[in-house]
Amino acid sequence: MSIVNTFEINEPLDMHLHLRDGDMLKLVGPLTSNTFSGALIMPNLVPPVTTKEALLGYKQRIKEACSGDDFEPYVTLFFQTTYSYDFLKDVKDDIIGIKLYPAGITTNSQTGVSSMDVEVLRPTLEAMSKLGIPLCIHGETNGFVMDREKEFMPIYESIASAFPDLKIIMEHITTKDAIDLLDKYDNLYATVTLHHLLITLDDVAGGALQPHLFCKPIAKRPEDRTALLNTALKGHPKLMFGSDSAPHPKHKKECCGCAAGVFTSPIALQVLTELFDKYQSLDNLNAFVSLNAQNFYGLKPVKKTIKLVKKDFEVPSIYEYKDENVVPMYAGETIAWSIA
């Protein structure tokens, strides 16, 4: 077995990213734009991004925060059942997709969709299907926390069957059930996070509670992690990297009522390289973190080659800007790969 000490990732893309706004955006934006060519940005601000004016304004603020880097923010709209065909036609060239949140299921989703009945969703989904706008879904019910994604599988199936020309992305999948569904429908695709390739619920709450690993969807069982990891390591063409890196200030993580989200942007490429190297699958890493997304969305990302070296990197204990701060995954620990 040959020993790999360097590796290059071309045009890395993060297809599920939270950047927030204001000073938090100014803090975390460059931590992605420094190493990624582009990212699909979530629209769950307060208020959510639902108009063309809000969309273009947010994109401009992201570009200003990341102005020191070659980086393209791919922006999205927050799904509403009242979008008209004419409105979506007007914004089609400005967005990469529309994100559907079930109401109240995760951070800033209170104004999400209250009914997942296909007939309720039909007007917007028909327009999206005709216009070729992909649908990104946070796929969870309000059931028992470990079963929420599994219970959502029939909803994915009903939408995929009703709208066969609509490309559907099962966001941040966490279960073997989602992996099993991935190849059942031609129009179903998925993203998976770094942390769900690494942890189970035991890492979050099996010993002392680890608030910085608490996220939604919650980490699941070992067999779920194994299914996700094996599929990612193979470079499955319908599975894309989406970090779901979700920054919250330290005081909102280390408290009663801990906010859900794992912040991985500064260490994502290093840890992915370490993980794929461990399983002798580096040949598939570029597909997972770039090529699959390019093929799915028809992207031509900013040219950028990131060279990684097998050299210890001590992860900062905290990142700060003005009054904002955020604690990354592996804070204060040493990881095996670094950005050259």
Side-chain angles (χ1 to χ4, degrees):
M1 181 180 67
S2 61
I3 297 175
V4 178
N5 292 311
T6 63
F7 186 75
E8 290 185 350
I9 300 177
N10 298 312
E11 290 77 61
L13 298 168
D14 183 346
M15 302 313 293
H16 185 127
L17 179 67
H18 296 273
L19 289 180
R20 312 304 187 203
D21 211 343
D23 285 344
M24 182 60 85
L25 166 61
K26 293 175 184 177
L27 170 60
V28 303
L31 296 175
T32 287
S33 64
N34 182 48
T35 52
F36 283 81
S37 284
L40 189 156
I41 314 301
M42 294 295 106
N44 58 330
L45 304 180
V46 180
V49 179
T50 59
T51 68
K52 185 172 184 177
E53 181 182 17
L55 180 87
L56 297 179
Y58 188 36
K59 184 172 184 177
Q60 181 59 35
R61 295 194 298 278
I62 296 170
K63 287 195 168 188
E64 289 171 359
C66 303
S67 61
D69 300 308
D70 290 328
F71 174 78
E72 181 63 30
Y74 303 113
V75 289
T76 55
L77 282 172
F78 190 96
F79 187 97
Q80 295 195 318
T81 58
T82 55
Y83 287 144
S84 69
Y85 178 89
D86 288 341
F87 168 74
L88 293 179
K89 183 179 180 181
D90 182 52
V91 299
K92 179 182 183 297
D93 292 338
D94 299 306
I95 61 175
I96 196 171
I98 296 178
K99 177 65 181 285
L100 189 157
Y101 292 93
I105 205 67
T106 190
T107 303
N108 299 339
S109 64
Q110 293 84 352
T111 58
V113 176
S114 56
S115 171
M116 295 303 300
D117 185 283
V118 167
E119 295 310 311
V120 174
L121 305 176
R122 183 174 293 280
T124 297
L125 295 185
E126 279 190 345
M128 292 174 63
S129 183
K130 291 176 182 177
L131 291 166
I133 301 172
L135 173 68
C136 306
I137 304 180
H138 182 122
E140 290 191 285
T141 69
N142 280 313
F144 178 67
V145 68
M146 290 293 283
D147 296 332
R148 289 175 181 177
E149 182 172 285
K150 182 178 181 179
E151 291 174 352
F152 203 91
M153 294 300 109
I155 299 174
Y156 279 130
E157 293 202 71
S158 67
I159 297 174
S161 298
F163 303 95
D165 296 326
L166 177 67
K167 287 185 175 181
I168 302 163
I169 304 93
M170 301 184 291
E171 293 279 24
H172 44 48
I173 59 173
T174 64
T175 61
K176 182 178 182 298
D177 302 277
I179 290 294
D180 291 341
L181 191 62
L182 189 58
D183 288 324
K184 188 173 179 180
Y185 295 89
D186 289 342
N187 57 334
L188 273 184
Y189 299 76
T191 60
V192 67
T193 75
L194 170 62
H195 50 280
H196 287 118
L197 297 178
L198 296 169
I199 66 173
T200 67
L201 183 57
D202 202 47
D203 297 294
V204 183
L209 186 65
Q210 302 297 317
H212 294 288
L213 294 181
F214 172 62
C215 58
K216 291 183 179 180
I218 199 164
K220 302 300 192 300
R221 300 169 178 83
E223 56 267 32
D224 295 305
R225 177 184 59 184
T226 297
L228 297 171
L229 181 59
N230 287 343
T231 306
L233 291 172
K234 293 174 183 175
H236 191 297
K238 296 179 77 178
L239 187 66
M240 299 169 279
F241 173 64
S243 71
D244 194 18
S245 184
H248 293 281
K250 182 179 180 181
H251 73 273
K252 289 190 176 181
K253 291 293 292 181
E254 299 177 4
C255 66
C256 181
C258 168
V262 182
F263 183 61
T264 58
S265 291
I267 51 93
L269 293 182
Q270 301 96 304
V271 178
L272 281 172
T273 303
E274 180 179 354
L275 186 61
F276 275 64
D277 181 42
K278 176 182 177 180
Y279 291 98
Q280 302 175 49
S281 298
L282 281 173
D283 287 347
N284 294 326
L285 181 53
N286 269 292
F288 176 62
V289 82
S290 181
L291 296 177
N292 291 349
Q294 291 185 52
N295 292 335
F296 175 78
Y297 284 102
L299 301 177
K300 294 182 179 179
V302 175
K303 293 295 182 183
K304 184 181 289 187
T305 297
I306 302 301
K307 184 176 182 180
L308 296 108
V309 294
K310 190 174 285 186
K311 177 183 177 183
D312 285 353
F313 174 70
E314 185 175 334
V315 181
S317 60
I318 195 167
Y319 290 90
E320 297 177 291
Y321 175 78
K322 293 186 177 180
D323 293 331
E324 294 288 1
N325 62 70
V326 60
V327 175
M329 189 177 185
Y330 295 131
E333 299 182 34
T334 300
I335 57 178
W337 285 76
S338 302
I339 303 292

